[in-house]
Amino acid sequence: MTHSYKLSRRIARLRVPMLAAALIAFGACDSGDSLSPESSTLPDQGLETGSQALPVDAPEFATAFAGGIPIGTSDQPLSQYGSRYNGSLQVIWPGLLRDELAAIKARGGKVVLSMAGNEKYYKDGSGHFSMTKWKQRIDRYKGVNFDAY
């Protein structure tokens, strides 16, 4: 009984700071509706040069932006790059690698290559990591020129 009484006193001492934090947060909010922008808050549609306005072109793909976090699925088809997803984890055969990377780059995508493939290919019979098997898997990519990427 005594223990629960002590616990309730500890919680009660936090009531005033929590109430003050909530009041400050609500008081700092703007009373205007932030979900419906006014005409004064809309961005400019072009850059002014003298008396002419230059139009601002919208990007062809929203994923053409080089920064950001790649979003996608593992081993996703090439047709999915650019519309909704811009990244993927791929295992691409060395002979097809340059063509696939060029197509992904053209669609504004990013890719994480798993050159060694599934871990079953570089583990020994008892399930331990084998450096020799892993090197054999990676050595398949020695002749591929990655300079363009």
Side-chain angles (χ1 to χ4, degrees), residues 3-56:
H3 176 69
S4 63
Y5 180 69
K6 287 181 182 178
L7 185 60
S8 67
R9 283 192 306 177
R10 289 182 189 164
I11 294 172
R13 71 176 182 198
L14 297 176
R15 287 183 190 155
V16 172
M18 294 295 279
L19 180 64
L23 288 175
I24 290 172
F26 288 126
C29 291
D30 187 17
S31 62
D33 188 9
S34 62
L35 296 178
S36 61
E38 300 171 8
S39 62
S40 63
T41 60
L42 290 176
D44 294 335
Q45 296 299 317
L47 301 173
E48 294 292 330
T49 57
S51 62
Q52 276 186 327
L54 298 175
V56 177

Side-chain angles (χ1 to χ4, degrees), residues 25-97:
F26 288 126
C29 291
D30 187 17
S31 62
D33 188 9
S34 62
L35 296 178
S36 61
E38 300 171 8
S39 62
S40 63
T41 60
L42 290 176
D44 294 335
Q45 296 299 317
L47 301 173
E48 294 292 330
T49 57
S51 62
Q52 276 186 327
L54 298 175
V56 177
D57 294 331
E60 193 168 314
F61 291 112
T63 58
F65 175 66
I69 299 172
I71 302 293
T73 60
S74 222
D75 204 21
Q76 103 184 350
L78 185 61
S79 62
Q80 293 294 316
Y81 282 95
S83 60
R84 176 174 285 182
Y85 304 110
N86 67 344
S88 176
L89 170 68
Q90 298 277 341
V91 179
I92 303 173
W93 188 256
L96 304 172
L97 184 65

